[in-house]
Amino acid sequence: MDSFGKVIMVIAIFILVAAIVYDVFRWLYFRKFEHFQCPSCGFNFKYSTIKLILSGCSGSVGNTKMLKCPHCGKKEVMDVISERKVIKG
């Protein structure tokens, strides 16, 4: 492998590690400061990590998820609610 190939490999590994670190910090932030609210019954809840990963993203920026409410059982697009906004106002 020539030196250009090694540089490309190092850059690719750096980008991969940076993406993983970003995802870990985003998950930790979500677990601490955000939750979902069911539009049907208004129940607030948090989902497990595995369910969040498997649910995918429904919104354009990732602020919504297609989830099943643990309270009423309806499967709908749930908005992410920031607990900081709830506390402040």
Side-chain angles (χ1 to χ4, degrees):
M1 186 182 277
D2 61 343
S3 62
F4 181 72
K6 289 180 183 178
V7 170
I8 296 296
M9 182 67 76
V10 168
I11 290 172
I13 290 172
F14 175 77
I15 291 171
L16 179 64
V17 169
I20 291 170
V21 168
Y22 172 79
D23 283 344
V24 166
F25 278 107
R26 177 67 185 120
W27 176 79
L28 289 172
Y29 178 85
F30 182 84
R31 292 297 299 161
K32 187 169 184 177
F33 296 114
E34 295 178 342
H35 64 275
F36 294 101
Q37 184 174 37
C38 178
S40 295
C41 68
F43 184 69
N44 293 321
F45 62 95
K46 291 190 178 194
Y47 250 72
S48 70
T49 304
I50 298 298
K51 287 185 179 181
L52 285 176
I53 291 170
L54 296 176
S55 70
C57 175
S58 306
S60 58
V61 207
N63 291 331
T64 60
K65 296 264 188 191
M66 178 63 82
L67 298 171
K68 184 176 180 180
C69 176
H71 186 254
C72 69
K74 288 191 176 182
K75 187 173 183 178
E76 295 192 41
V77 175
M78 310 278 178
D79 290 325
V80 174
I81 308 294
S82 175
E83 292 172 6
R84 289 181 174 192
K85 290 179 187 173
V86 172
I87 292 170
K88 288 182 180 179

